[in-house]
Amino acid sequence: MQAQADIRYDPWDWVTYRNSRFVTSVAEGSEYIYFGTNGGILRRHIFGKYWDYPITRSQGLPEDEIDAVYYDFRTHVLWASSSSGLSHSVEGGVRWEMVSNEILGLRPGERIARIGSTADFLWCETASQVLKLDHLSGFLVIPYADLPESDVRWGSALLTGSRKRHGILNNFTATGGWINDLDMLRGPRLEEFHISTIYTDRFQDIWLGTWGGSVFHGDFQMKLLEPIPFGPAQTSAEILLRMDNGMWSAGIDPSTLYSGITLYDPQRGIWDIFRVGFEITFGEDQVYYGAQVNEEWWFGTPDGIQVYMPAKDSWLPISQSRDLPDSRVVSLAFDGEYVYGGTLTGLVRISPSSRTRVSWSVSEMVGFRPVYVVHWDGESLWIATDVDLWQWGEKRDELRRFGIPGGESLSDVTNRESDQPVIVRPVTAIASSDSMVYFGDEFGVLCYDRNVGEWRRITGRSRLTGFEILSLTLSQGPEENEGMLWIGTSDGTLALDLTDDFIWHFKKKDGLPSDIVRSSLIQGDIAWFGTPEGMVRFEWKKHLR
């Protein structure tokens, strides 16, 4: 059974990063140390000492939660087990095939916990049996087999029962403020992570997986355990924010085991995570929206606003007790003087210096309606509620209101003669360039020419209608055109060429881990997408020609 991504793409055109801090298994390959995790297979280059791209569903794995991983040195086949079966790749994780649990004869709920090999066969252990398999295809040879007298080379398994003994770690000292404490590693920020699995490689170095923390490398000569973190604090990515040396990733995740705010430096491969309980004066790590405010970073959360101050490397919460109209801040914008927060019960204007609400007549005009989007285009503040689109001009202190009609067909609104923009249903996303402002609604994308004050609707050859638009992001083109408009929707992401309205549509079948795309960030030839199933890196330019 094949389980591979679209062959139109090169293997690493799509790369998904998920929370992968729960390690179940470790195995050694000719070039990499492989880690089976809750977020796919991680690859640590043995000699280069760097993290390479992870292997996930974007490369064809049937699932991202891996129970066991193993590399067979004799056949050079990479193996991985999950709840659906046993998968293998003869191309180092590039493309995969799977043998299902039914074909293997496993009972419902029975899972492969450890994989190994001898010269002629592959061996898999479950909680109740040993499977003898063909070491090239994974097809079952003998169920309930007896292990051979010759030594079996194994990947590691979870430390349970008789395996839960690590006298091997008694002489190792942890670095970076960590403490090696029997079955647990204690961190400098009061973290406590139990060791989940241990593997010794051919150089006698030790590799540790943990439940929720970093991977650790134990140098055999120095007897030192070094933490090597990898991956975001949480899988769900509502927002992606650009910064000079990296990017922020954050979102809403109901599981507190996986939640947090992540700062990622792609050039150096460094992942910094911030979580409740580990940061001083840190209030909430679930995030709806984010914005840069001068040298600070502001995040709208279900419980107010979190402010990160890089100069102090510290956090400050702005909660409802500081006169926010609602604790749920779902959108933020900054005009150089004030921060504007959209909440589910109105609009708030905040002074960045005092961190307090500033009285403003526009907030009273908008009223106590849900404010879904606030956007500063350089001259005007755009405010989208459930029933209106507002434009406030700073220079003239002028407020304009554009009503959103309801209950009308597409032909009704497109044939109406009016100088008002045809906005149908609430505006759910806004983006702007130097000359244009783009608005996403149920009928697609509406644009406003700031130079001449004219509105027009982008039809995209009639392929934009009916999408639930979740985000809009511009990648600037040459001076003579506006470039690309990236449209995140609940049915994949659309790339709209603004010179000719041509559209490319990318979905799970292409390499996305989810068809829900909540945010986008474009950095040259690389597009990043935030989804509920991970943050995704896509080399887009080679496919949009």
Side-chain angles (χ1 to χ4, degrees), residues 279-284 296-299 301 303-310 312-319 322 351-356:
E279 308 297 328
I280 300 175
T281 66
F282 194 87
E284 177 64 70
E296 299 176 341
W297 298 89
W298 290 42
F299 300 93
T301 79
D303 189 27
I305 298 172
Q306 283 278 28
V307 179
Y308 177 66
M309 299 169 287
K312 299 180 180 179
D313 190 23
S314 62
W315 294 82
L316 175 70
I318 303 175
S319 65
R322 294 199 176 205
S351 167
S353 58
S354 65
R355 324 281 194 195
T356 56

Side-chain angles (χ1 to χ4, degrees), residues 15-20 38-40 54 56-58 62-65 232 234-238 249-254 258 508 511-519 529-537:
V15 179
T16 299
Y17 296 91
R18 297 169 51 89
N19 175 283
S20 49
N38 61 303
T56 65
R57 282 176 290 168
S58 292
E63 294 176 88
D64 287 319
E65 294 197 8
Q234 69 178 31
T235 292
S236 176
E238 298 278 331
S249 170
I252 301 293
D253 194 319
Y258 297 83
K508 284 179 67 175
L512 283 169
S514 168
D515 281 337
I516 300 174
V517 179
R518 299 194 178 278
S519 58
F529 304 119
T531 82
E533 296 297 324
M535 50 185 288
V536 186
R537 179 187 186 275

Side-chain angles (χ1 to χ4, degrees), residues 310-490:
K312 299 180 180 179
D313 190 23
S314 62
W315 294 82
L316 175 70
I318 303 175
S319 65
Q320 194 170 8
S321 62
R322 294 199 176 205
D323 206 23
L324 293 180
D326 192 299
S327 60
R328 296 159 295 179
V329 180
V330 298
S331 185
L332 291 167
F334 178 55
D335 67 359
E337 184 176 2
Y338 294 103
V339 177
Y340 303 90
T343 78
L344 297 186
T345 55
L347 176 69
V348 62
R349 191 186 207 188
I350 302 172
S351 167
S353 58
S354 65
R355 324 281 194 195
T356 56
R357 182 178 184 176
V358 177
S359 179
W360 193 32
S361 60
V362 172
S363 297
E364 299 172 5
M365 292 288 293
V366 172
F368 296 101
R369 308 208 64 89
V371 176
Y372 296 133
V373 187
V374 288
H375 177 83
W376 176 253
D377 68 9
E379 295 179 352
S380 298
L381 181 72
W382 297 90
I383 307 153
T385 73
D386 58 339
V387 295
D388 296 299
L389 176 66
W390 302 77
Q391 179 192 20
W392 174 72
E394 180 184 29
K395 291 182 179 179
R396 298 182 180 180
D397 194 19
E398 187 176 71
L399 184 66
R400 299 177 66 193
R401 177 183 181 182
F402 307 101
I404 300 177
E408 298 177 84
S409 68
L410 178 59
S411 59
D412 289 336
V413 295
T414 53
N415 293 328
R416 183 194 304 135
E417 294 182 3
S418 172
D419 59 354
Q420 292 287 301
V422 180
I423 308 169
V424 183
R425 304 295 180 190
V427 169
T428 53
I430 305 175
S432 62
S433 65
D434 292 340
S435 59
M436 305 292 292
V437 186
Y438 300 88
F439 307 86
D441 65 9
E442 188 176 321
F443 281 177
V445 176
L446 188 69
C447 59
Y448 174 66
D449 190 322
R450 293 162 53 186
N451 295 326
V452 298
E454 292 182 353
W455 297 80
R456 73 178 180 93
R457 182 167 289 280
I458 300 176
T459 62
R461 301 180 185 177
S462 301
R463 292 174 58 196
L464 290 177
T465 303
F467 286 98
E468 180 187 2
I469 295 179
L470 305 176
S471 66
L472 295 176
T473 304
L474 279 165
S475 58
Q476 199 70 27
E479 293 182 2
E480 66 271 14
N481 65 64
E482 287 283 312
M484 304 292 298
L485 180 66
W486 296 85
I487 307 169
T489 78
S490 57

